Amino acid sequence: MTASKTNSAPPVKRPTAADVELLSAAQSTELAARDLYNSAIAAGAGGNHLASLVALSAHHDAYAQSISSLIGADAPQTRDDELFNSLVADFGSETVGAALAAHGLENSIVAAHTTLVGELVGTDGAALMASIVITEARHCVALATIAGKSAVADIDLFLVTTAVATTSAPSA
Amino acid sequence: MSHSNRQELQALTKIVRATQGADFGSALQTSLSRRRFFLAGGATISFGALLAACGAGESTGIARIGDSVPDNALADVEVTDVVLLRTATSLEYNAIHVYEAVASAGILSGDAATLAARFLSDHRAHAEATSSLTEQLGGTAFTQPNPRLQTIYVEPALKLIVGDSGSGIKPTADPVADVLALAYALETIAGSTYQAYIPKLSDPALRGSAIGIGEQEARHAALIGSLLNPDRLVSSFGLSIAAQYREEADVPALAYAVPTSFGTLSPAPVILGAANESGTRTTIDLETPSLNSLIYED
């Protein structure tokens, strides 16, 4: 670590040009996640936890909108089609399968966005992504529960962040 | 007060009494005479003179004993990356203290005890990580619970759970539920603390390290939330979703796996302890460390 010992220098608040690129990729990932949840919901997944899946979709939509608020006209407003197409078959009508696929997706997003927070220069973007990462980590736990996993026997599924190689969430 | 000042005060008192109950609306419209104008102006001047006289240095009519002590100058401290990391470490030790106290009291058993042991192990690892970062920055690692948070949150909460005969606090009726509720709030605040530090840390790489720990605290909280509220894992409050997916309750539950769409920095309330005569239990609002609970370097 090379941080200075004092925080007296005023930090950069607004996203830099490089930040905007990173945040744009993050927005496309969020929109792909939203659409993947919507695909599973439309196919009939959810069961007793349908309302939770609907809420998770709404969360990702909110994240995309918040990134638009931050970077304005630079926001792509389009989903990451490569990510969506690579996973949409897993987000089908079967609740456990869809929940496990979503769990893997959320884990990858948490890993990618944690890296992103460490690379953003502007504190506005870093603070926003931090507030998103905190909740996306919680998503992983909710999805492991929906998938019927044991909080004791399968504890690492709930608590350990592991990126899934099949997703193309931005690694910044 | 001097004789002349006393006379002016008496004159002012007469004017006030003379105008009590007067109909100013009609009086102003019909007869704000030249004489009354001067009278009012004179009263204003006299009142000003009275105030000036009271404030004069040589007028010492007000009783005073001794001299006031000069204010202590506030310490000139700076919130550095090291301070933030030391504070984060102290919060980890608060959590370690809670889980160790719960284990030694034998409150939890079975799966709950297994989970608590895992959380304890994670917090020890987090404390090691933040201590290591502190030392890499040239600081001295802090290896104790945050004293202020221990005093205002942790110790009162534990007394409410196990009781304290010395202060007449009865043990709670359901210690397992209370421990889970306390752990949920504590883990939530731990995650919020790391989130709050992101824009304060000067080094982006440190921000990444901090949120990497914070998201693990959030997972702890979510797991406890899923145990406390298994039927509704993700709150619908604050979301623009169709009515059939909304919760029927008017207010959110105290715990969810996912309580909000974004991580918040708001206090985490926890209701603990035995009910009093009127059936009320104690609520403690846990908050992220503020300026008076940061761990500054000596």
Side-chain angles (χ1 to χ4, degrees), chain A residues 29-53:
Chain A
T29 300
E30 297 295 358
L31 291 172
R34 177 201 64 187
D35 288 353
L36 287 167
Y37 278 106
N38 288 344
S39 291
I41 293 164
N48 294 332
H49 295 291
L50 174 58
S52 288
L53 292 186

Side-chain angles (χ1 to χ4, degrees), chain B residues 11 15 18-19 33-46:
Chain B
I15 293 166
T19 54
S33 69
R34 181 181 175 82
R35 182 173 174 278
R36 286 190 179 193
F37 178 81
F38 281 119
L39 181 61
T44 305
I45 293 167
S46 296

Side-chain angles (χ1 to χ4, degrees), chain A residues 72-139:
Chain A
D74 291 321
Q77 303 276 24
T78 55
R79 76 180 181 207
D80 181 339
D81 275 332
E82 185 182 346
L83 174 61
F84 177 84
N85 291 329
S86 69
L87 293 177
V88 67
D90 298 330
F91 283 75
S93 61
E94 202 261 317
T95 299
V96 171
L100 284 174
H103 177 270
L105 171 67
E106 297 280 5
N107 252 330
S108 291
I109 293 176
V110 169
H113 288 174
T114 298
T115 303
L116 180 62
V117 169
E119 298 197 353
L120 291 170
V121 175
T123 55
D124 287 352
L128 171 62
M129 293 311 300
S131 74
I132 292 173
V133 169
I134 286 288
T135 305
E136 287 176 332
R138 285 176 173 260
H139 290 178

Side-chain angles (χ1 to χ4, degrees), chain B residues 1-9 49-50 53-54 59 61:
Chain B
M1 185 178 296
S2 70
H3 179 68
S4 62
N5 284 346
R6 190 175 296 114
Q7 283 183 318
E8 287 167 354
L9 180 59
L50 173 67
C54 289
S59 178

Side-chain angles (χ1 to χ4, degrees), chain B residues 93-124:
Chain B
Y93 277 101
N94 287 122
I96 290 167
H97 176 89
V98 167
Y99 287 115
E100 285 180 341
V102 167
S104 65
I107 295 173
L108 300 179
S109 60
D111 288 350
T114 302
L115 290 178
R118 170 61 183 264
F119 293 173
L120 172 59
S121 172
D122 286 350
H123 285 294
R124 285 176 174 151

Side-chain angles (χ1 to χ4, degrees), chain B residues 81-82 84-93 96 122-137 139-143 194 197 206 209-211 213-214 217:
Chain B
D81 289 352
V82 165
L84 296 173
L85 288 168
R86 281 162 55 88
T87 307
T89 309
S90 74
L91 200 60
E92 298 291 352
Y93 277 101
I96 290 167
D122 286 350
H123 285 294
R124 285 176 174 151
H126 297 164
E128 279 186 29
T130 52
S131 293
S132 174
L133 289 170
T134 303
E135 290 169 351
Q136 286 177 42
L137 289 175
T140 304
F142 190 80
T143 57
Y194 285 101
Y197 285 178
L206 269 182
S209 301
I211 203 62
I213 298 173
E217 315 287 26

